[in-house]
Amino acid sequence: GIISVTQNLAVKWAKRNIRVNAVVPGVIDTPMTALAQTFPELIDAELARIPMGRVGKPAEISHTIAFLCTEHSSYTSGALFIVDGASTSQ
């Protein structure tokens, strides 16, 4: 659903110079995922699914978002930025 909404809105609002993109994070080390870290078997199973072998850092998501907020991405619209350690590339 997010892919379709992102791409459709990007087309709809392009003439107004409104850019629509989506950042799709994988497992990120945040307070929400902290509870899972108390279960080593859960973490081991999750890490086995991530080709980079680690969870992401919040800064890795915020840097992607910061790029999208700059003029360096002025011709970028309708894009998905998947920040997941290559999990969805398998």
Side-chain angles (χ1 to χ4, degrees), residues 3 22-26 60-61 64 79-89:
I3 295 169
V23 177
V24 185
E60 292 170 310
I61 303 303
T64 303
L80 301 174
F81 288 80
I82 302 170
V83 187
D84 71 353
S87 294
T88 56
S89 299

Side-chain angles (χ1 to χ4, degrees), residues 46-67:
E46 192 61 39
L47 291 177
R49 294 181 337 108
I50 303 171
M52 287 189 155
R54 65 176 180 83
V55 297
K57 299 172 188 154
E60 292 170 310
I61 303 303
S62 64
H63 291 187
T64 303
I65 294 168
F67 163 73

Side-chain angles (χ1 to χ4, degrees), residues 63-77:
H63 291 187
T64 303
I65 294 168
F67 163 73
L68 290 170
C69 293
T70 69
E71 286 303 308
H72 294 292
S73 67
S74 62
Y75 199 57
T76 303
S77 194

Side-chain angles (χ1 to χ4, degrees), residues 11-24:
V11 171
K12 181 177 181 176
W13 292 341
K15 290 188 191 266
R16 294 183 182 174
N17 201 30
I18 297 173
R19 297 177 286 139
V20 181
N21 297 290
V23 177
V24 185

